[in-house]
Amino acid sequence: MSTELSANQNVSVAQKNCEQTRSGCLFRPNVDIIESSEELLLRADVPGAAGKDIELDYENGVLTLHAKVEPRQTDRGRCLLREYAVGDYYRAFEINEQIEAENISAECVNGVLTIHLPKARSAKPRRITVTNSH
Amino acid sequence: MIAARFPFSNLDLFRGEVDRLFEDFFAAPGSMGTRQTGRMTVFPALNVWDNGDELVAEAELPGLSIENLDISLMGSELTIRGKRESQNGKDTACHRQERGSGEFARTVALPYPVNSDAVDAAMKDGILTIKMPKAESAKPRKIEVKTQ
């Protein structure tokens, strides 16, 4: 099974609750969210952003991703084909599951950001042993 | 949080307008007009520019390394081929799957002949940059005008 390959979509400023000080456009990165018994795993396509450029905040159950991308391709000669624009990535998620906020970890490899959100002990599946009573 | 879209709501219509404005902006002169309704019809999207001595092509290919790519030059046609494997395991629950996977290939015709022996391709943070020096015949040349 393969899903259609597509570039990240443009996000309108209206979708972000506050305005930013830097001009330029924001993109909504494509994400995969996968749940296992231990954690929620979020992968986002943020080509052009390195780990140091990514701000990741978790507050009141909302995970906010803001990846800053420095403008490239400016003053670099004559443009022949322009099919995408370069800009920051922004997206926020409301996390409904109970997670251990202090153990959230993330890494960015080849323009893919992976965020591990470990589940809280209370949210992990547990098997309860039923004992016989006499 | 970016809320799920409710079909035909006024807000959604407004958003659609805003998105379209942005897209029209990006589909400015020089574009081949491939950006339609926010989704790319071809993959990967390419930006190509002319530096004077070389042509530079750039594509966003997150999750791929240079080893996963096959870049070839036939005459003045540049082809980028590759495959992005899905990393999502089968025994996990997938709540969202927006990142595509599978094979892709794209060929573009270059406007000038290039020196195929000196082509340089590099990958950094999911951005592929291909530098193609122009063939001698295609380089700009200054012609000295003699005065008699």
Side-chain angles (χ1 to χ4, degrees):
Chain A
M1 278 291 286
S2 71
T3 48
E4 191 191 342
L5 284 158
S6 65
N8 287 318
Q9 291 179 38
N10 210 349
V11 60
S12 69
V13 180
Q15 284 172 288
K16 199 181 167 183
N17 295 327
C18 55
E19 290 187 32
Q20 55 175 2
T21 49
R22 256 164 59 137
S23 61
C25 46
L26 280 173
F27 291 92
R28 182 177 134 121
N30 288 333
V31 301
D32 284 353
I33 301 176
I34 302 127
E35 185 180 348
S36 69
S37 56
E38 294 296 310
E39 61 174 11
L40 270 179
L41 184 72
L42 193 148
R43 283 199 194 95
D45 283 343
V46 288
K52 61 175 171 50
D53 309 321
I54 301 169
E55 280 173 18
L56 212 53
D57 293 299
Y58 181 77
E59 198 182 349
N60 298 329
V62 176
L63 179 77
T64 312
L65 180 172
H66 188 180
K68 293 199 169 92
V69 180
E70 286 303 313
R72 356 177 253 274
Q73 313 169 354
T74 47
D75 303 327
R76 287 172 73 179
R78 193 162 60 95
C79 177
L80 300 172
L81 187 62
R82 185 169 148 91
E83 293 179 343
Y84 66 90
V86 176
D88 290 3
Y89 299 100
Y90 179 88
R91 201 159 169 182
F93 300 91
E94 200 175 311
I95 310 288
N96 296 317
E97 285 80 2
Q98 286 196 327
I99 58 160
E100 288 176 10
E102 64 275 18
N103 291 327
I104 297 174
S105 63
E107 72 260 1
C108 192
V109 181
N110 289 339
V112 178
L113 172 68
T114 307
I115 309 167
H116 300 272
L117 302 146
K119 284 188 187 173
R121 189 183 287 267
S122 59
K124 280 184 190 169
R126 252 181 306 172
R127 175 158 288 179
I128 295 115
T129 354
V130 182
T131 52
N132 288 325
S133 61
H134 297 287
Chain B
M1 149 150 201
I2 295 165
R5 290 187 171 200
F6 186 76
F8 310 116
S9 75
N10 287 334
L11 184 64
D12 198 48
L13 284 172
F14 170 71
R15 277 182 190 165
E17 282 300 314
V18 175
D19 286 351
R20 197 133 43 84
L21 280 172
F22 274 74
E23 276 152 34
D24 288 348
F25 175 69
F26 292 126
S31 160
M32 302 284 276
T34 43
R35 199 177 271 270
Q36 289 167 356
T37 64
R39 286 185 82 85
M40 299 302 298
T41 48
V42 287
F43 187 89
L46 282 172
N47 282 354
V48 183
W49 62 93
D50 178 345
N51 259 355
D53 284 341
E54 59 183 9
L55 286 175
V56 184
E58 198 197 79
E60 292 183 328
L61 292 163
L64 285 142
S65 57
I66 203 88
E67 295 79 36
N68 306 131
L69 288 168
D70 175 16
I71 301 155
S72 58
L73 210 69
M74 281 277 278
S76 57
E77 280 195 340
L78 171 74
T79 302
I80 303 166
R81 264 174 218 284
K83 188 180 181 185
R84 184 158 93 158
E85 304 282 353
S86 171
Q87 295 165 288
N88 305 340
K90 286 196 165 52
D91 53 343
T92 48
C94 204
H95 295 304
R96 252 168 222 256
Q97 192 162 15
E98 299 167 357
R99 298 169 62 243
S101 60
E103 288 181 41
F104 59 87
R106 176 130 199 235
T107 303
V108 281
L110 302 173
Y112 320 107
V114 293
N115 181 0
S116 55
D117 296 329
V119 171
D120 173 66
M123 197 76 187
K124 188 178 181 279
D125 298 330
I127 306 279
L128 169 71
T129 310
I130 309 170
K131 290 178 179 166
M132 298 164 284
K134 287 185 192 173
E136 281 304 315
S137 60
K139 280 192 184 162
R141 207 167 303 183
K142 196 163 192 170
I143 294 133
E144 221 174 285
V145 181
K146 285 178 187 159
T147 46
Q148 288 187 328

